[in-house]
Amino acid sequence: DSGVTQTPKHLITATGQRVTLRCSPRSGDLSVYWYQQSLDQGLQFLIQYYNGEERAKGNILERFSAQQFPDLHSELNLSSLELGDSALYFCASSVSSYGYTFGSGTRLTVV
Amino acid sequence: QQPVQSPQAVILREGEDAVINCSSSKALYSVHWYRQKHGEAPVFLMILLKGGEQKGHEKISASFNEKKQQSSLYLTASQLSYSGTYFCGTVNNNAGNMLTFGGGTRLMVKP
């Protein structure tokens, strides 16, 4: 257990639907990062939150949004889902300049 | 812009050495290295900060050339457990600690 908790582990949904992915960072970590990894591809940065505020944005689609709550857990909302959104979605947390700790990921399948 | 990793793939026999390179077109504040096994989350190996070099993790070490904006990961006397995909991640400034990952290097160690 890395200390970063992601739920659900697997999600199967239909095109056009909306889903919410949840992440609880490691205790004490204020930063949360979301990454998308398509089949056998690299890790694409989506968005970062730090202590409740958006800190950086990557190539995140307008159909996607995220937020970080006062208890520091974060949610990634994906709407109007398309087949191409099928991927592994990772959440990671960190403290300042230290390495990231990744959660086990949510595997999203859009059918 | 994501850093470039080379080689894209490498096959080793147990006990052999390997070097994985990572280069960026932007000035770097730090470089991270991660290993990901198939279907699992990336695991942090080490971080190299501007102005310094940090080693650690079994027989795996790394270097960081700030002027050339490059980092290299050295795996010595490889073990079967070293198999996986290695990612470098670069941070371009010390604000936010946002990582941009390279495309990955697939390493397979055979008996």
Side-chain angles (χ1 to χ4, degrees):
Chain A
D1 182 8
S2 67
V4 177
T5 304
Q6 285 190 250
T7 56
K9 290 193 183 305
H10 302 277
L11 202 47
I12 301 175
T13 189
T15 54
Q17 295 299 304
R18 172 189 168 96
V19 297
T20 297
L21 313 184
R22 183 188 169 102
C23 169
S24 293
R26 202 176 50 168
S27 178
D29 288 356
L30 299 179
S31 283
V32 170
Y33 311 82
W34 287 97
Y35 283 83
Q36 179 192 56
Q37 187 174 40
S38 300
L39 189 62
D40 292 331
Q41 297 296 310
L43 295 148
Q44 299 299 316
F45 171 68
L46 296 178
I47 197 164
Q48 177 201 359
Y49 278 84
Y50 178 82
N51 202 21
E53 295 190 2
E54 182 183 303
R55 177 65 69 93
K57 227 172 185 177
N59 295 325
I60 186 167
L61 299 172
E62 285 190 10
R63 301 183 285 108
F64 296 1
S65 65
Q67 53 185 327
Q68 186 179 28
F69 295 86
D71 67 352
L72 300 179
H73 90 270
S74 177
E75 293 181 356
L76 179 67
N77 300 296
L78 315 176
S79 61
S80 303
L81 286 167
E82 302 175 358
L83 296 178
D85 297 328
S86 296
L88 255 177
Y89 290 85
F90 285 108
C91 161
S93 70
S94 76
V95 175
S96 188
S97 298
Y98 290 90
Y100 287 11
T101 301
F102 281 84
S104 57
T106 293
R107 183 173 294 280
L108 174 67
T109 303
V110 182
V111 297
Chain B
Q1 193 168 0
Q2 69 175 159
V4 177
Q5 286 185 234
S6 63
Q8 288 186 317
V10 59
I11 300 175
L12 299 174
R13 291 287 179 189
E14 227 176 339
E16 291 181 338
D17 302 340
V19 179
I20 300 172
N21 300 302
C22 174
S23 67
S24 174
S25 59
K26 295 183 177 182
L28 299 177
Y29 176 76
S30 66
V31 178
H32 297 214
W33 286 95
Y34 293 79
R35 177 171 62 211
Q36 183 180 30
K37 293 187 182 283
H38 186 68
E40 298 180 7
V43 173
F44 173 70
L45 294 177
M46 66 187 73
I47 183 174
L48 298 104
L49 301 174
K50 185 177 179 179
E53 172 186 323
Q54 183 171 333
K55 296 183 180 181
H57 209 280
E58 302 169 348
K59 296 177 183 176
I60 301 174
S61 62
S63 63
F64 180 21
N65 186 323
E66 297 163 35
K67 288 185 179 178
K68 292 186 176 180
Q69 296 162 191
Q70 294 175 344
S71 177
S72 294
L73 185 72
Y74 306 94
L75 300 102
T76 58
S78 59
Q79 306 168 15
L80 296 176
S81 62
Y82 286 5
S83 293
T85 301
Y86 289 78
F87 291 98
C88 71
T90 56
V91 178
N92 296 114
N93 57 65
N94 63 347
N97 198 36
M98 185 201 86
L99 277 178
T100 301
F101 285 95
T105 296
R106 291 189 181 186
L107 177 76
M108 180 183 295
V109 181
K110 294 185 172 182

